[in-house]
Amino acid sequence: MGQPRSERGLGIALVAAAATAWSTAPFFTRLLPFDSWTILFWRGLFGGCLITLLLVLMQGPGALRQLVVPGRGGLLVASLSAIGMISFIPALQMTNVMNVAVLIATQPFVAAALAWLWLREAATRRTLIASFVAFAGVVVTVGGIRAGADIGGLTLSCLMVFAISAMTVVVRRHRETSMVAAAALSNFIGSLVSLLLAHDIAHVGSHDLAILAMFGCLQIALGLTFYMLGSRLLPSGQASLVATLETPLMAFWIWVAFGEVPAVHALIGGALVIGAVIVDIVGETKSRGRP
Protein backbone atom coordinates (compact mmCIF):
# COMPACT_ATOMS: atom_id res chain seq x y z
CA MET A 1 0.00 0.00 0.00
CA GLY A 2 2.98 2.25 0.54
CA GLN A 3 4.17 1.86 -3.03
CA PRO A 4 5.31 5.20 -4.56
CA ARG A 5 2.92 6.69 -7.12
CA SER A 6 5.75 7.06 -9.66
CA GLU A 7 6.51 3.34 -9.39
CA ARG A 8 2.87 2.41 -9.92
CA GLY A 9 2.68 4.80 -12.89
CA LEU A 10 5.76 3.22 -14.44
CA GLY A 11 4.18 -0.20 -14.06
CA ILE A 12 1.00 0.93 -15.82
CA ALA A 13 3.01 2.49 -18.65
CA LEU A 14 5.09 -0.67 -19.14
CA VAL A 15 2.09 -3.02 -19.19
CA ALA A 16 0.23 -0.69 -21.58
CA ALA A 17 3.31 -0.74 -23.83
CA ALA A 18 3.31 -4.55 -23.62
CA ALA A 19 -0.36 -4.67 -24.67
CA THR A 20 0.44 -2.37 -27.60
CA ALA A 21 3.29 -4.62 -28.72
CA TRP A 22 1.23 -7.80 -28.35
CA SER A 23 -1.65 -6.30 -30.33
CA THR A 24 0.47 -6.26 -33.51
CA ALA A 25 0.28 -10.08 -33.79
CA PRO A 26 -2.58 -10.16 -36.38
CA PHE A 27 -0.66 -7.69 -38.56
CA PHE A 28 2.39 -9.95 -38.75
CA THR A 29 0.54 -13.26 -39.05
CA ARG A 30 -1.36 -11.97 -42.10
CA LEU A 31 1.97 -11.41 -43.84
CA LEU A 32 3.30 -14.92 -43.23
CA PRO A 33 2.13 -17.96 -45.28
CA PHE A 34 3.49 -20.61 -42.89
CA ASP A 35 2.11 -23.03 -40.34
CA SER A 36 1.72 -21.68 -36.82
CA TRP A 37 4.55 -23.75 -35.34
CA THR A 38 7.05 -22.47 -37.92
CA ILE A 39 6.06 -18.91 -37.06
CA LEU A 40 6.30 -19.67 -33.35
CA PHE A 41 9.76 -21.19 -33.78
CA TRP A 42 11.26 -18.24 -35.63
CA ARG A 43 9.40 -15.66 -33.56
CA GLY A 44 10.68 -17.21 -30.34
CA LEU A 45 14.22 -17.51 -31.67
CA PHE A 46 14.43 -13.87 -32.77
CA GLY A 47 12.60 -12.68 -29.67
CA GLY A 48 14.86 -14.66 -27.33
CA CYS A 49 17.98 -13.33 -29.04
CA LEU A 50 16.85 -9.69 -28.75
CA ILE A 51 15.89 -10.08 -25.09
CA THR A 52 19.28 -11.71 -24.42
CA LEU A 53 20.96 -8.72 -26.06
CA LEU A 54 18.92 -6.35 -23.88
CA LEU A 55 19.92 -8.40 -20.84
CA VAL A 56 23.62 -8.02 -21.64
CA LEU A 57 23.26 -4.29 -22.33
CA MET A 58 21.37 -3.75 -19.06
CA GLN A 59 23.39 -6.00 -16.72
CA GLY A 60 26.63 -6.88 -18.51
CA PRO A 61 27.91 -10.18 -19.99
CA GLY A 62 27.85 -11.82 -16.56
CA ALA A 63 24.05 -11.76 -16.71
CA LEU A 64 24.13 -14.56 -19.30
CA ARG A 65 24.61 -16.94 -16.39
CA GLN A 66 20.99 -16.24 -15.44
CA LEU A 67 19.88 -18.00 -18.64
CA VAL A 68 21.64 -21.18 -17.55
CA VAL A 69 20.93 -20.86 -13.82
CA PRO A 70 17.72 -18.79 -13.68
CA GLY A 71 16.84 -19.68 -10.09
CA ARG A 72 13.56 -21.15 -8.96
CA GLY A 73 11.54 -17.97 -9.55
CA GLY A 74 13.05 -17.33 -12.99
CA LEU A 75 12.58 -20.93 -14.11
CA LEU A 76 8.96 -20.93 -12.95
CA VAL A 77 8.22 -17.67 -14.78
CA ALA A 78 9.94 -18.90 -17.96
CA SER A 79 8.07 -22.21 -17.88
CA LEU A 80 4.66 -20.59 -17.33
CA SER A 81 5.31 -18.05 -20.08
CA ALA A 82 6.35 -20.82 -22.49
CA ILE A 83 3.23 -22.86 -21.63
CA GLY A 84 1.09 -19.81 -22.35
CA MET A 85 2.72 -19.20 -25.73
CA ILE A 86 2.67 -22.85 -26.77
CA SER A 87 -0.97 -23.39 -25.74
CA PHE A 88 -2.11 -20.35 -27.72
CA ILE A 89 -1.21 -21.78 -31.15
CA PRO A 90 -3.14 -25.10 -31.03
CA ALA A 91 -6.02 -23.37 -29.20
CA LEU A 92 -6.51 -21.11 -32.22
CA GLN A 93 -6.36 -24.13 -34.52
CA MET A 94 -8.86 -26.21 -32.54
CA THR A 95 -11.57 -23.68 -31.70
CA ASN A 96 -12.99 -20.36 -32.85
CA VAL A 97 -10.69 -17.36 -32.44
CA MET A 98 -13.56 -15.45 -30.82
CA ASN A 99 -13.86 -18.06 -28.08
CA VAL A 100 -10.15 -17.80 -27.33
CA ALA A 101 -10.39 -14.00 -27.09
CA VAL A 102 -13.30 -14.17 -24.65
CA LEU A 103 -11.49 -16.66 -22.41
CA ILE A 104 -8.36 -14.49 -22.43
CA ALA A 105 -10.50 -11.60 -21.17
CA THR A 106 -11.11 -13.56 -17.94
CA GLN A 107 -7.43 -13.25 -17.04
CA PRO A 108 -7.82 -10.26 -14.65
CA PHE A 109 -10.20 -12.31 -12.50
CA VAL A 110 -7.97 -15.41 -12.56
CA ALA A 111 -4.86 -13.37 -11.74
CA ALA A 112 -6.66 -11.57 -8.91
CA ALA A 113 -7.86 -14.88 -7.45
CA LEU A 114 -4.39 -16.46 -7.61
CA ALA A 115 -2.81 -13.35 -6.09
CA TRP A 116 -5.23 -13.49 -3.18
CA LEU A 117 -4.72 -17.24 -2.62
CA TRP A 118 -0.92 -17.04 -2.74
CA LEU A 119 0.03 -13.51 -1.71
CA ARG A 120 -3.15 -12.46 0.11
CA GLU A 121 -3.14 -9.51 -2.30
CA ALA A 122 -6.75 -8.39 -2.58
CA ALA A 123 -7.86 -6.56 -5.71
CA THR A 124 -9.80 -3.37 -5.09
CA ARG A 125 -13.51 -3.33 -5.82
CA ARG A 126 -12.87 -0.65 -8.42
CA THR A 127 -10.42 -2.91 -10.31
CA LEU A 128 -12.80 -5.88 -10.17
CA ILE A 129 -15.68 -3.78 -11.54
CA ALA A 130 -13.40 -2.36 -14.25
CA SER A 131 -12.28 -5.92 -15.11
CA PHE A 132 -15.91 -6.98 -15.51
CA VAL A 133 -16.59 -4.01 -17.82
CA ALA A 134 -13.45 -4.83 -19.82
CA PHE A 135 -14.58 -8.46 -20.09
CA ALA A 136 -17.96 -7.29 -21.39
CA GLY A 137 -16.14 -5.05 -23.85
CA VAL A 138 -14.13 -7.97 -25.22
CA VAL A 139 -17.31 -10.06 -25.59
CA VAL A 140 -18.93 -7.21 -27.54
CA THR A 141 -15.78 -6.66 -29.63
CA VAL A 142 -15.45 -10.26 -30.83
CA GLY A 143 -19.19 -10.94 -31.01
CA GLY A 144 -19.52 -13.32 -28.09
CA ILE A 145 -18.99 -17.04 -27.64
CA ARG A 146 -19.52 -19.13 -30.76
CA ALA A 147 -21.29 -22.50 -30.70
CA GLY A 148 -19.66 -25.76 -31.75
CA ALA A 149 -16.39 -25.12 -29.97
CA ASP A 150 -13.94 -27.99 -29.68
CA ILE A 151 -13.45 -28.95 -26.04
CA GLY A 152 -9.72 -29.45 -26.64
CA GLY A 153 -9.33 -25.88 -27.90
CA LEU A 154 -11.26 -24.48 -24.97
CA THR A 155 -9.17 -26.54 -22.55
CA LEU A 156 -5.93 -25.23 -24.05
CA SER A 157 -7.29 -21.68 -23.91
CA CYS A 158 -8.04 -22.12 -20.21
CA LEU A 159 -4.55 -23.55 -19.69
CA MET A 160 -3.07 -20.50 -21.39
CA VAL A 161 -5.10 -18.10 -19.23
CA PHE A 162 -4.08 -19.95 -16.07
CA ALA A 163 -0.40 -20.03 -17.10
CA ILE A 164 -0.18 -16.30 -17.90
CA SER A 165 -2.17 -15.39 -14.78
CA ALA A 166 0.09 -17.53 -12.61
CA MET A 167 3.14 -16.01 -14.32
CA THR A 168 1.86 -12.53 -13.43
CA VAL A 169 1.58 -13.52 -9.77
CA VAL A 170 5.00 -15.22 -9.71
CA VAL A 171 6.61 -12.12 -11.22
CA ARG A 172 5.00 -10.11 -8.43
CA ARG A 173 6.20 -12.61 -5.81
CA HIS A 174 9.81 -12.86 -7.03
CA ARG A 175 10.57 -9.21 -7.69
CA GLU A 176 14.24 -9.77 -6.89
CA THR A 177 14.61 -12.21 -9.82
CA SER A 178 15.82 -11.04 -13.24
CA MET A 179 12.63 -11.23 -15.28
CA VAL A 180 14.45 -10.15 -18.44
CA ALA A 181 16.45 -13.39 -18.35
CA ALA A 182 13.24 -15.35 -17.68
CA ALA A 183 11.60 -13.70 -20.71
CA ALA A 184 14.50 -14.74 -22.96
CA LEU A 185 14.49 -18.28 -21.61
CA SER A 186 10.74 -18.67 -22.19
CA ASN A 187 11.18 -17.79 -25.86
CA PHE A 188 13.96 -20.33 -26.31
CA ILE A 189 11.85 -23.01 -24.61
CA GLY A 190 8.94 -22.19 -26.92
CA SER A 191 11.17 -22.40 -29.99
CA LEU A 192 12.58 -25.76 -28.91
CA VAL A 193 9.10 -27.25 -28.52
CA SER A 194 7.94 -25.72 -31.81
CA LEU A 195 10.93 -27.18 -33.63
CA LEU A 196 9.46 -30.65 -33.11
CA LEU A 197 6.12 -29.69 -34.69
CA ALA A 198 6.98 -27.15 -37.42
CA HIS A 199 6.79 -28.09 -41.12
CA ASP A 200 8.14 -25.08 -43.03
CA ILE A 201 11.30 -24.05 -41.17
CA ALA A 202 13.52 -24.86 -44.14
CA HIS A 203 11.26 -23.05 -46.62
CA VAL A 204 11.50 -19.55 -45.15
CA GLY A 205 12.99 -17.04 -47.60
CA SER A 206 14.94 -13.88 -46.79
CA HIS A 207 11.89 -11.59 -47.12
CA ASP A 208 9.77 -13.69 -44.80
CA LEU A 209 12.71 -14.09 -42.44
CA ALA A 210 12.89 -10.30 -42.13
CA ILE A 211 9.17 -10.19 -41.26
CA LEU A 212 9.66 -12.97 -38.70
CA ALA A 213 12.56 -11.03 -37.19
CA MET A 214 10.36 -7.95 -36.76
CA PHE A 215 7.58 -10.14 -35.40
CA GLY A 216 9.88 -11.68 -32.80
CA CYS A 217 11.63 -8.46 -31.85
CA LEU A 218 8.72 -6.02 -31.79
CA GLN A 219 5.75 -8.16 -30.80
CA ILE A 220 7.08 -10.82 -28.46
CA ALA A 221 10.47 -9.55 -27.24
CA LEU A 222 9.40 -6.02 -26.34
CA GLY A 223 5.91 -7.11 -25.28
CA LEU A 224 7.06 -9.84 -22.92
CA THR A 225 9.92 -7.78 -21.49
CA PHE A 226 7.67 -4.78 -20.84
CA TYR A 227 5.02 -6.99 -19.24
CA MET A 228 7.41 -8.80 -16.92
CA LEU A 229 9.02 -5.54 -15.82
CA GLY A 230 5.70 -3.73 -15.42
CA SER A 231 3.66 -6.47 -13.73
CA ARG A 232 6.13 -6.67 -10.84
CA LEU A 233 5.16 -3.07 -9.98
CA LEU A 234 1.36 -3.56 -10.05
CA PRO A 235 -1.22 -5.68 -8.24
CA SER A 236 -1.72 -8.80 -10.37
CA GLY A 237 -5.38 -8.06 -11.13
CA GLN A 238 -4.62 -4.54 -12.29
CA ALA A 239 -1.70 -5.64 -14.48
CA SER A 240 -3.98 -8.14 -16.23
CA LEU A 241 -6.69 -5.49 -16.59
CA VAL A 242 -4.34 -3.05 -18.34
CA ALA A 243 -3.19 -5.89 -20.62
CA THR A 244 -6.76 -6.28 -21.95
CA LEU A 245 -6.03 -3.19 -24.05
CA GLU A 246 -4.48 -5.69 -26.47
CA THR A 247 -7.89 -6.71 -27.88
CA PRO A 248 -9.18 -3.31 -29.11
CA LEU A 249 -5.70 -2.35 -30.30
CA MET A 250 -5.65 -5.41 -32.60
CA ALA A 251 -8.53 -3.95 -34.58
CA PHE A 252 -6.69 -0.61 -34.73
CA TRP A 253 -3.58 -2.12 -36.35
CA ILE A 254 -5.64 -4.07 -38.88
CA TRP A 255 -7.39 -0.82 -39.79
CA VAL A 256 -4.11 1.09 -40.16
CA ALA A 257 -2.30 -1.62 -42.12
CA PHE A 258 -5.04 -3.12 -44.30
CA GLY A 259 -7.75 -0.46 -44.34
CA GLU A 260 -10.34 -2.74 -42.73
CA VAL A 261 -12.73 -0.49 -40.84
CA PRO A 262 -13.80 -2.13 -37.55
CA ALA A 263 -17.47 -3.05 -37.19
CA VAL A 264 -19.67 -0.93 -34.93
CA HIS A 265 -19.76 -3.62 -32.24
CA ALA A 266 -15.95 -3.74 -32.26
CA LEU A 267 -15.76 0.02 -31.73
CA ILE A 268 -18.28 -0.14 -28.87
CA GLY A 269 -16.48 -3.04 -27.23
CA GLY A 270 -13.10 -1.39 -27.63
CA ALA A 271 -14.43 1.80 -26.05
CA LEU A 272 -15.66 -0.23 -23.06
CA VAL A 273 -12.25 -1.87 -22.58
CA ILE A 274 -10.30 1.37 -22.90
CA GLY A 275 -12.79 3.24 -20.71
CA ALA A 276 -12.60 0.58 -17.98
CA VAL A 277 -8.81 0.76 -17.86
CA ILE A 278 -8.78 4.57 -17.79
CA VAL A 279 -11.44 4.76 -15.04
CA ASP A 280 -9.49 2.29 -12.90
CA ILE A 281 -6.24 4.21 -13.30
CA VAL A 282 -7.83 7.61 -12.69
CA GLY A 283 -9.77 6.29 -9.70
CA GLU A 284 -6.65 4.88 -8.13
CA THR A 285 -4.73 8.12 -8.73
CA LYS A 286 -7.46 10.13 -6.99
CA SER A 287 -7.67 7.73 -4.04
CA ARG A 288 -3.91 7.86 -3.54
CA GLY A 289 -3.96 11.64 -3.71
CA ARG A 290 -6.31 11.92 -0.74
CA PRO A 291 -4.68 12.71 2.60
Side-chain angles (χ1 to χ4, degrees):
M1 293 297 293
Q3 185 182 33
R5 184 184 301 181
S6 59
E7 187 175 280
R8 186 69 68 94
L10 176 61
I12 292 171
L14 286 169
V15 175
T20 302
W22 285 339
S23 68
T24 61
F27 166 76
F28 287 108
T29 53
R30 285 199 178 194
L31 300 176
L32 296 166
F34 306 111
D35 67 277
S36 298
W37 294 107
T38 296
I39 294 173
L40 186 59
F41 168 79
W42 286 110
R43 187 189 71 167
L45 186 61
F46 283 117
C49 288
L50 177 60
I51 297 174
T52 301
L53 177 61
L54 294 174
L55 179 66
V56 172
L57 292 175
M58 292 168 61
Q59 302 180 26
L64 292 174
R65 184 176 180 275
Q66 299 172 27
L67 290 175
V68 182
V69 188
R72 184 170 59 181
L75 182 60
L76 184 56
V77 167
S79 300
L80 290 169
S81 175
I83 290 172
M85 289 189 290
I86 293 169
S87 300
F88 182 63
I89 299 299
L92 290 176
Q93 295 174 328
M94 296 170 67
T95 190
N96 193 287
V97 176
M98 308 307 180
N99 294 339
V100 177
V102 171
L103 287 172
I104 290 175
T106 66
Q107 187 181 321
F109 303 105
V110 178
L114 291 175
W116 183 82
L117 289 172
W118 188 7
L119 308 178
R120 286 296 184 263
E121 179 183 82
T124 64
R125 183 172 60 177
R126 182 190 60 252
T127 296
L128 291 176
I129 293 174
S131 297
F132 179 79
V133 174
F135 171 76
V138 171
V139 172
V140 172
T141 298
V142 302
I145 290 284
R146 301 298 170 88
D150 187 281
I151 189 65
L154 295 179
T155 301
L156 286 173
S157 298
C158 291
L159 175 61
M160 175 187 61
V161 169
F162 179 82
I164 299 302
S165 299
M167 181 197 77
T168 303
V169 178
V170 174
V171 168
R172 181 78 168 164
R173 171 66 177 82
H174 294 275
R175 281 183 277 188
E176 74 288 349
T177 302
S178 173
M179 293 307 163
V180 178
L185 184 59
S186 71
N187 276 269
F188 291 136
I189 293 174
S191 287
L192 182 61
V193 173
S194 301
L195 179 62
L196 305 175
L197 302 169
H199 303 298
D200 299 323
I201 289 179
H203 303 104
V204 178
S206 57
H207 174 72
D208 291 325
L209 202 62
I211 296 175
L212 286 163
M214 290 188 290
F215 195 1
C217 292
L218 297 178
Q219 193 265 345
I220 194 64
L222 294 182
L224 193 56
T225 301
F226 287 152
Y227 187 76
M228 288 192 177
L229 292 176
S231 59
R232 70 199 301 177
L233 304 176
L234 298 174
S236 300
Q238 187 177 43
S240 297
L241 169 62
V242 176
T244 59
L245 289 171
E246 175 186 0
T247 300
L249 287 173
M250 284 182 179
F252 171 76
W253 293 121
I254 293 299
W255 171 60
V256 170
F258 303 104
E260 295 183 11
V261 180
V264 174
H265 67 82
L267 294 174
I268 295 173
L272 284 173
V273 174
I274 295 171
V277 174
I278 291 175
V279 167
D280 182 62
I281 294 172
V282 172
E284 181 190 0
T285 301
K286 289 183 177 180
S287 65
R288 283 176 169 267
R290 297 192 188 109

